[in-house]
Amino acid sequence: MKNWLKRFFLIASAGLILTFAGFYIWSQITYKPAAELFNSTNIQNQNEKNGYFLFQPENQQTSNGIILYPGAKVDPKAYAYLAEQMTQKGVTVVIPKMPFNLAIAGINKADTIISERDEIKNWFVGGHSLGGAAASIYAYEHHENIKGLFLLAAYPTDSSDFSNSNFPILTIYAEKDGLTTLNDIQEKKHLLSKNTVYYKINGGNHAQFGIYGEQKGDNNADINVFIQQDQIIREIDRWIQNIDS
């Protein structure tokens, strides 16, 4: 009996190890920044520090900061164009590197960032796809310290119900998105606050919320990636300015 139990636990342990190893390998196969990103940003000079990538406005102080949670298995650097363009509008942008490249495994990453950047008085938290869902949990649990939540091809989790609040939310979604569809956005609309701004990108798709090429399950976009990116940047900037005014 003892030998049988010993063999059972050895087999079970080996199974768990193999399962975790498989999961880990899967999690490390990420969507990398596309070539055009390196031609349009200084991302090659950007290094991870303290578990995140920091983009700051040059030669000016700012009190506004964005924390952007990446989509599942998307390299944080894939959002460098958005980050650099926002710094030109006077906003600091921080993109954390997530455990297993999944934001849902690092929901509280914003805590470290906020504690280390005392110069930022107004924090806006958000993310792309699964990163947006994770950010919604963080914003819901820390709404007293966050000025607003932005959702890029994303929607809140069922446990993050903002419907009875006036918490500022921006949700940007795309017409051709094959992963976060228009129906998905509509079905989760009841979780959003009374103070939600909606923006639809005509012709846009899921992958072009970052710059990392095509994504499995997505539809082809009808517009160039930089056209979509510039719309996202414009709407986030406009939303922040309206909250500040």
Side-chain angles (χ1 to χ4, degrees):
M1 186 66 175
K2 289 183 178 179
N3 289 335
W4 182 88
L5 283 173
K6 184 177 181 180
R7 284 197 297 271
F8 173 79
F9 284 118
L10 284 173
I11 293 170
S13 297
L16 287 173
I17 291 170
L18 288 173
T19 299
F20 178 78
F23 168 76
Y24 180 79
I25 292 170
W26 170 83
S27 72
Q28 301 308 301
I29 302 172
T30 59
Y31 291 98
K32 303 294 185 183
E36 54 262 48
L37 187 64
F38 291 91
N39 299 327
S40 58
T41 69
N42 293 316
I43 190 58
Q44 60 269 22
N45 299 320
Q46 183 74 24
N47 295 313
E48 176 191 346
K49 185 178 180 182
N50 297 337
Y52 55 81
F53 294 90
L54 175 66
F55 300 81
Q56 293 178 292
E58 293 184 8
N59 305 318
Q60 72 176 105
Q61 292 183 332
T62 177
S63 60
N64 290 333
I66 283 176
I67 301 172
L68 194 163
Y69 284 13
K73 297 178 62 181
V74 178
D75 190 311
K77 297 190 292 293
Y79 304 95
Y81 179 79
L82 187 157
E84 287 192 359
Q85 293 299 309
M86 287 302 301
T87 65
Q88 294 183 22
K89 300 180 183 300
V91 179
T92 291
V93 181
V94 186
I95 309 175
K97 184 174 176 59
M98 292 297 182
F100 306 110
N101 294 301
L102 298 171
I104 205 71
I107 291 171
N108 291 320
K109 276 278 189 171
D111 282 342
T112 300
I113 296 167
I114 293 171
S115 67
E116 292 180 352
R117 315 303 316 177
D118 291 338
E119 75 279 10
I120 304 299
K121 306 304 178 186
N122 304 315
W123 282 108
F124 302 86
V125 175
H128 173 214
S129 194
L130 185 62
S136 76
I137 296 173
Y138 186 86
Y140 186 77
E141 295 177 350
H142 301 83
H143 62 274
E144 67 280 358
N145 298 321
I146 302 298
K147 293 280 287 186
L149 168 69
F150 62 95
L151 300 168
L152 308 179
Y155 44 80
T157 63
D158 289 339
S159 62
S160 306
D161 187 347
F162 295 91
S163 61
N164 291 321
S165 75
N166 288 310
F167 189 73
I169 298 176
L170 169 66
T171 179
I172 303 178
Y173 55 100
E175 178 187 17
K176 298 292 184 177
D177 194 325
L179 298 173
T180 303
T181 66
L182 300 182
N183 284 339
D184 292 333
I185 297 294
Q186 187 64 33
E187 287 176 4
K188 297 297 183 178
K189 192 173 181 179
H190 68 279
L191 297 170
L192 299 172
S193 74
K194 301 178 181 69
N195 188 16
T196 297
V197 175
Y198 302 88
Y199 185 80
K200 176 183 174 184
I201 300 177
N202 291 319
N205 71 358
H206 194 85
Q208 290 187 171
F209 279 91
I211 303 180
Y212 53 87
E214 296 180 358
Q215 187 167 355
K216 184 178 180 180
D218 200 8
N219 297 316
N220 293 326
D222 292 338
I223 58 175
N224 178 274
V225 64
F226 290 105
I227 293 176
Q228 180 162 340
Q229 287 281 301
D230 288 343
Q231 290 186 52
I232 296 165
I233 292 157
R234 182 193 67 209
E235 293 306 312
I236 292 176
D237 179 53
R238 180 180 296 170
W239 175 67
I240 289 175
Q241 290 188 39
N242 287 336
I243 293 174
D244 280 348
S245 62

